[in-house]
Amino acid sequence: MRFSTLLLGGLMLAATTPAFAQDTAPPEPITVSGSVAVLTDYRLRGISQTNRNAAVQGALTVAHESGFYIGTFASNLAGWGTFGGANLELDAIGGYKTTVGSATVDAGVTWYTYPGGASESDVIEFFSRLSGVAGPATLTAGVYYAPKQTSLGNFSNTPFSRGQRQHNVYLTGDGVVAVPNTPVTLKAHIGYSDGNPGLGPNGTSLAPTGEYWDWGVGADVVAYKNLTFNVSYIDTDITRAESAYLQPNFSKFQEPGGKSIANGTVLFSLTAAF
């Protein structure tokens, strides 16, 4: 769902017991994984959620051997996408993951919340992802659908704005290739958003300009055990002219003529998984 896409991976914790004869302990029915990360910018579908400034994020997932799991993700916010209160995004996630042949299917729902923020800002979004291996690459296709809700309504100052509730669709394609005999993994992402062309009730939109493309390329480097360094380039096709009616909300510090928060950027991050 998200390019930082959301940092819900990590190393699974598994308990072991001494082996007798050739026996090994069965896998634990419930596993817990998580991560903490520091990033130079928090980009959600190519759009900065922290005014092009640094972010600290955390994620936690509890998975059952049946395939069902629950999790949470948290990040600080600034500027576009903030609704007052703690200026914090806190997501609740639930889903089911299983293998079908050589493919992996992952489906569920995310509830985006903003503690203490303005009303009508939460978003409910369903997702489905299909992953498989093609040669040395792992490829993933995703579909994210947010049904009509007030937080996605069109409240902008345009002739088409009547406060009507909108839905949102986000389509993604991701590829990952591990470089043999190195700690490096190469990554590529492309996404397409189609939704509310205006602003929601609190001055933001999940799909600024209504529809746009975002993309990114980067690399992970395992620095030490569970510590991973990432460098990525992230961009969108949203031009200054296309987003003019979203200003000044769509500029850094919401200043007229400020740098667009959809411009391309080089992003660095350091993630510790557990």
Side-chain angles (χ1 to χ4, degrees), residues 2 4 6 39-45 47-58 73-91 111-118 121-123 202 204 206 253-254 261:
R2 39 187 89 228
S4 62
L6 295 209
L39 306 87
T40 55
D41 193 358
Y42 171 23
R43 292 281 171 137
L44 176 61
R45 301 173 184 178
I47 311 301
S48 178
Q49 307 295 298
T50 50
N51 257 330
R52 301 175 66 99
N53 291 317
V56 178
Q57 301 178 340
F73 167 84
S75 177
N76 62 291
L77 302 172
W80 177 269
T82 55
F83 305 105
N87 283 336
L88 173 73
E89 176 186 333
L90 182 61
D91 304 340
W111 176 21
Y112 299 84
T113 71
Y114 307 89
S121 56
D122 291 4
V123 175
N202 300 301
T204 66
L206 194 58
F253 302 126
Q254 287 75 58
I261 57 173

Side-chain angles (χ1 to χ4, degrees), residues 3-222:
F3 178 80
S4 62
T5 269
L6 295 209
L7 299 173
L8 293 179
L11 300 178
M12 294 296 184
L13 299 176
T16 60
T17 58
F20 295 94
Q22 297 299 317
D23 294 339
T24 59
E28 292 294 314
I30 295 177
T31 56
V32 179
S33 62
S35 64
V36 291
V38 178
L39 306 87
T40 55
D41 193 358
Y42 171 23
R43 292 281 171 137
L44 176 61
R45 301 173 184 178
I47 311 301
S48 178
Q49 307 295 298
T50 50
N51 257 330
R52 301 175 66 99
N53 291 317
V56 178
Q57 301 178 340
L60 185 69
T61 300
V62 179
H64 188 263
E65 61 184 356
S66 63
F68 289 99
Y69 63 87
I70 58 174
T72 187
F73 167 84
S75 177
N76 62 291
L77 302 172
W80 177 269
T82 55
F83 305 105
N87 283 336
L88 173 73
E89 176 186 333
L90 182 61
D91 304 340
I93 306 158
Y96 176 75
K97 181 183 290 188
T98 188
T99 57
V100 180
S102 60
T104 299
V105 177
D106 183 9
V109 60
T110 301
W111 176 21
Y112 299 84
T113 71
Y114 307 89
S119 62
E120 305 295 353
S121 56
D122 291 4
V123 175
I124 297 291
E125 182 178 66
F126 298 92
F127 63 84
S128 179
R129 295 185 285 259
L130 178 65
S131 301
V133 176
T138 299
L139 304 178
T140 302
V143 178
Y144 302 76
Y145 178 71
K148 290 184 178 181
Q149 47 201 292
T150 303
S151 57
L152 305 180
N154 190 336
F155 291 84
S156 61
N157 185 24
T158 68
F160 309 103
S161 175
R162 301 183 301 277
Q164 62 270 42
R165 303 197 325 163
Q166 303 273 334
H167 62 233
N168 194 87
V169 177
Y170 184 56
L171 308 177
T172 64
D174 292 87
V176 177
V177 177
V179 179
N181 304 315
T182 75
V184 178
T185 300
L186 304 179
K187 296 182 172 183
H189 162 86
I190 189 167
Y192 172 74
S193 295
D194 188 356
N196 175 16
L199 293 172
N202 300 301
T204 66
S205 173
L206 194 58
T209 72
E211 57 179 329
Y212 73 98
W213 292 87
D214 71 274
W215 57 88
V217 292
D220 281 349
V221 180
V222 178

